[in-house]
Amino acid sequence: MSLKYVTPAERFKRYLPKDYVELVDYGPFGKSQDEAGPGNMGQFKELMEEHPMCSGCWMAYYIRLIFASLPCPEETVTLGTAGCGRLAISQAAVPFIYGNYGDQNAMASGLSRAFRLRFPDKHKDVITIAGDGGTMDIGFSMTMHSWIRGEKFTTIMLDNEVYGNTGGQESGMSPKGAVLKMAPEGKKFEKMPATALAKAAGCVYIVKMSPTNIKKAAKVIRRAIFVAREVGPTFIHAYTSCNIEYSIPTEEVFADARAQEKDRFQFEEYMTDEAKAVIERVEAEEKATLRAKKGKIAEEVS
């Protein structure tokens, strides 16, 4: 779990699988976002290329975007639990820990603390990525306690508003009235106020969104990770539709995401003053680095 760890000795490369060698040579490890980020996906070896998700799965698209947005993938660990998302997350070239029915935030709490003790001079990013069931239903108590304790890691909820992996049961995040295979009469209560709960529990950076804009979604992911490194718990509530359980034709998945962007998932961003200070500093540093790089390239060309 470091750049040195993933880079093989030059003479040993010939014996390694081609995919691994290409990932080291042409992947995002040790590179900046302008070299290997969401803006140029398809032009570098991505951390996640194949997955067993359903055709047209919006969740799979967003997970791919998460991995393309990581500030430092070689120093990152992801954690998840039972659900559709782990089928794709586990295929990425980033260490993944599979939790037991919603305990991902409990594990992340211990892991992030251990990393800070073992590597006090390094940023080791810990990110939990789980569905609405794993985060807000089955894992609710562990999610809330990690936030209340102020644990320094990022929680990303893949909200497809249903238990898509186990047959279509309603979840706490399903909208009121939703008719599903195992809720034939429609859900009887409102969707849980996840972002309000996160704010009340002490999250210092919170976003709710439907990730239709790649640059905007990537910026949110990076902000959440940067803030979690220094300040405290961060939370992203992302709409990732289940086109199977909600009968959304594959060609209409993006249109559905755009529609939800104007409805239940209108963009909301909350940050504390301390979180804002971190974001402004880091983004200013990134802009300065990019300007210097472009200036150097211009000098070499001229």
Side-chain angles (χ1 to χ4, degrees):
M1 222 190 77
S2 69
L3 189 56
K4 182 178 179 181
Y5 178 80
V6 299
T7 306
E10 197 62 35
R11 291 183 179 181
F12 190 56
K13 277 187 176 181
R14 59 187 293 188
Y15 302 105
L16 292 172
K18 183 180 178 182
D19 268 358
Y20 187 91
V21 175
E22 289 180 348
L23 186 64
V24 171
D25 290 342
Y26 309 113
F29 297 129
K31 296 184 176 68
S32 62
Q33 284 283 287
D34 62 300
E35 295 173 301
N40 47 16
M41 285 193 296
Q43 301 175 46
F44 62 93
K45 183 75 170 178
E46 293 184 45
L47 294 168
M48 190 195 86
E49 294 185 321
E50 298 181 358
H51 60 79
M53 308 286 272
C54 302
S55 175
C57 179
W58 193 243
M59 183 185 290
Y61 144 79
Y62 183 60
I63 291 171
R64 179 188 176 197
L65 180 58
I66 291 171
F67 284 111
S69 305
L70 297 177
C72 195
E74 64 272 19
E75 304 286 359
T76 301
V77 171
T78 59
L79 301 94
T81 189
C84 294
R86 55 95 184 174
L87 298 172
I89 301 164
S90 61
Q91 302 303 306
V94 172
F96 171 67
I97 299 173
Y98 180 36
N100 185 30
Y101 298 107
D103 68 355
Q104 66 279 348
N105 276 48
M107 292 192 300
S109 297
L111 188 63
S112 62
R113 290 187 188 192
F115 280 154
R116 288 194 298 277
L117 289 171
R118 177 64 180 83
F119 305 100
D121 300 323
K122 274 189 176 184
H123 290 302
K124 296 284 188 178
D125 298 320
V126 176
I127 308 168
T128 65
I129 312 172
D132 44 300
T135 303
M136 280 286 134
D137 281 357
I138 301 170
F140 181 74
S141 63
M142 286 171 276
T143 297
M144 291 296 291
H145 278 281
S146 70
W147 292 345
I148 290 168
R149 290 193 303 268
E151 303 291 352
K152 293 181 177 179
F153 64 84
T154 298
T155 300
I156 300 178
M157 179 166 68
L158 310 169
D159 188 5
N160 60 8
E161 303 187 309
V162 66
Y163 280 87
N165 192 48
T166 52
Q169 300 92 338
E170 67 175 45
S171 83
M173 300 306 298
S174 301
K176 185 177 181 179
V179 176
L180 300 159
K181 288 177 184 174
M182 297 190 185
E185 295 183 356
K187 188 185 173 192
K188 305 299 183 183
F189 58 96
E190 297 289 347
K191 187 177 176 75
M192 292 173 68
T195 52
L197 289 166
K199 186 176 180 180
C203 284
V204 296
Y205 180 76
I206 305 166
V207 168
K208 180 168 75 171
M209 71 182 306
S210 179
T212 61
N213 184 306
I214 289 178
K215 288 185 178 180
K216 189 175 187 179
K219 179 184 283 188
V220 164
I221 293 163
R222 292 173 65 78
R223 283 182 170 184
I225 294 170
F226 287 133
V227 171
R229 286 177 177 179
E230 300 183 36
V231 186
T234 60
F235 176 52
I236 300 174
H237 179 187
Y239 176 67
T240 56
S241 64
C242 180
N243 56 319
I244 301 302
E245 297 302 335
Y246 279 94
S247 301
I248 306 168
T250 298
E251 64 274 12
E252 295 178 18
V253 167
F254 182 73
D256 170 73
R258 290 295 298 272
Q260 296 308 324
E261 195 171 25
K262 299 175 182 178
D263 187 17
R264 295 192 301 278
F265 286 82
Q266 293 182 37
F267 185 78
E268 297 176 8
E269 185 178 45
Y270 162 82
M271 65 185 78
T272 63
D273 290 341
E274 196 174 357
K276 184 179 180 181
V278 171
I279 290 170
E280 289 177 346
R281 187 194 77 237
V282 170
E283 292 183 353
E285 290 172 352
E286 288 186 329
K287 288 179 181 178
T289 300
L290 186 57
R291 282 197 300 269
K293 184 177 180 179
K294 287 182 178 179
K296 184 177 180 181
I297 293 173
E299 288 179 7
E300 292 175 351
V301 171
S302 61

